[in-house]
């Protein structure tokens, strides 16, 4: 049921290869040489400053999201920054002089650092937001250690998380890959990583979204109960034990309450909360870039994207495979199988009428 892709992405490929230098090298057969290091992704991201779309992110997005990404902003605002930009504030404090500094920046991915005690994506992101550095202290008059922590001040539509699996070993002077298993889920909540001002702005939409989910769960429960009662009534009527109509389950007062409850749900959806379309700080997983192999200098990259029907498609060169949601959770690492290197999340917003 997949339709041919007609969007003009191939036209951008030569420019991308030009920006990526060594990753744009060709072999004697004039085919592009496979990237040999993890800097390939960073080179692609650097194309942002040259006015090019971040191709690696576009390739991981569901097909039905691509047209929105390709729209141009008539106001001159960077579409890439609006869709992928993460606003952060770095707070630095010198331990010796108690000096404090703040630095504001825009990045395009969160880093999940993998330490010896990192077992989950949430723990790795916390490590990635730490930024201890040596910096000149005016009070001390020399270079001192500054403890730093970044907080998110702006959330993008699409959030990219990089699992830092490649590093340089100084003792052997070689690149290495971290094989440790780091679990992740189909939904990511970044509320704990946000600045207090952003948390306050998210509180209202999060409450509206939770109320919307609760109403849906209640509706589904009532519909399931109604189907069960209908099936039971049909079964009792078909056995011919009596000719009397089956008595409805529950008292008239209970039925009236159920009808009123359904009316309350409909009324709640119709009235809305004033937060429709607002971000909640929660994101759903829609794309994964994986690396297969134990070496940082070799291996195989593949892309996994979520489709509108909830299934996933594995793009393995020119071969496509249909996958289930559970298959994606097995990309957490710990062996020779595909392991996640980039995770692409899409923002969960308050639905219309919530």
């Amino acid at each position: 049921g997949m339709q041919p892709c007609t969007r003009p992405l191939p036209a951008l490929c030569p420019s991308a290869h030009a920006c990526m230098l060594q990753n744009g090298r060709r072999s004697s057969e004039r085919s592009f040489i496979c990237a040999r290091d993890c800097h390939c992704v960073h080179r692609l991201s650097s194309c942002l400053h040259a006015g090019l779309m971040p191709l690696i992110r576009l390739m991981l997005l569901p097909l039905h999201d691509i047209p929105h990404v390709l729209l141009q902003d008539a106001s001159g605002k960077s579409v890439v920054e609006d869709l992928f930009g993460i606003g952060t504030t770095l707070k630095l404090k010198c331990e010796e002089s108690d000096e404090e500094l703040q630095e504001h920046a825009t990045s395009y991915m969160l880093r999940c650092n993998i330490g010896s005690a990192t077992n989950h994506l949430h723990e790795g992101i916390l490590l990635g937001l730490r930024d201890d550095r040596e910096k000149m202290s005016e009070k001390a008059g020399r270079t001192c250690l500054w403890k730093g922590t970044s907080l998110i001040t702006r959330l993008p539509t699409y959030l990219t998380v990089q699992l830092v699996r490649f590093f340089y070993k100084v003792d052997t002077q070689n690149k290495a890959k971290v094989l440790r298993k780091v679990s992740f889920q189909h939904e990511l909540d970044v509320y704990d990583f946000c600045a207090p001002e952003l948390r306050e702005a998210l509180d209202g939409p999060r409450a509206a979204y939770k109320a919307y989910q609760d109403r849906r769960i209640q509706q589904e429960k009532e519909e399931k109960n109604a189907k069960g009662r209908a099936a039971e009534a049909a079964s009792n009527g078909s056995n011919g034990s009596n000719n009397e109509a089956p008595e409805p389950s529950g008292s008239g007062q209970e039925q009236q309450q159920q009808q009123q409850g359904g009316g309350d749900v409909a009324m709640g959806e119709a009235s809305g909360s004033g937060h429709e379309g607002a971000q909640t700080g929660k994101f759903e997983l829609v794309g994964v870039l994986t690396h297969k192999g134990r070496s940082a200098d070799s291996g195989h990259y593949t892309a996994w994207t979520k489709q509108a029907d909830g299934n996933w498609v594995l793009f393995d060169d020119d071969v496509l495979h249909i996958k289930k949601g559970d298959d994606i959770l097995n990309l957490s690492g710990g062996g020779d199988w595909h392991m996640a290197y980039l995770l692409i999340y899409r923002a969960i917003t308050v639905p219309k009428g919530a």
Side-chain angles (χ1 to χ4, degrees), residues 263-318:
D264 291 340
V265 172
M267 184 180 298
E269 293 179 352
S271 62
S273 62
H275 297 291
E276 290 86 349
Q279 292 211 15
T280 61
K282 298 181 179 182
F283 291 79
E284 63 169 327
L285 187 64
V286 295
V288 182
L289 175 71
T290 60
H291 178 265
K292 184 179 181 181
R294 289 181 171 267
S295 172
D297 289 324
S298 62
H300 185 54
Y301 286 97
T302 55
W304 312 59
T305 64
K306 187 177 182 179
Q307 307 303 302
D309 61 0
N311 287 323
W312 287 72
V313 175
L314 163 60
F315 292 85
D316 188 351
D317 292 336
D318 58 346

Side-chain angles (χ1 to χ4, degrees), residues 199-216:
R199 291 187 188 183
E200 184 177 353
L202 292 174
D203 285 340
R206 288 170 70 88
Y209 182 67
K210 184 179 185 305
Y212 171 79
Q213 287 183 307
D214 291 342
R215 291 198 302 270
R216 288 196 60 181

Side-chain angles (χ1 to χ4, degrees), residues 34-38 166 173-177 291 294-301:
C34 178
R36 296 188 61 192
D37 55 48
C38 63
F166 302 99
Q173 296 186 353
N174 288 318
K175 293 186 293 292
K177 180 180 179 180
H291 178 265
R294 289 181 171 267
S295 172
D297 289 324
S298 62
H300 185 54
Y301 286 97

Side-chain angles (χ1 to χ4, degrees), residues 103-129:
E103 296 180 2
H104 304 281
T106 298
S107 59
Y108 293 94
M109 64 175 63
L110 292 180
R111 293 166 59 91
C112 172
N113 288 345
I114 305 175
S116 58
T118 304
N119 297 312
H120 191 269
L121 184 68
H122 191 276
E123 299 169 344
I125 293 177
L126 282 176
L127 287 178
L129 291 174

Side-chain angles (χ1 to χ4, degrees), residues 186-206:
H186 287 284
E187 184 175 300
L188 174 65
D189 191 346
V190 299
Y191 184 85
D192 294 339
F193 310 136
C194 297
E197 298 79 9
L198 181 54
R199 291 187 188 183
E200 184 177 353
L202 292 174
D203 285 340
R206 288 170 70 88

Side-chain angles (χ1 to χ4, degrees), residues 327-341:
D327 297 325
I328 305 304
L329 301 182
N330 293 328
L331 304 176
S332 55
D336 295 325
W337 184 241
H338 299 275
M339 57 185 69
Y341 177 54

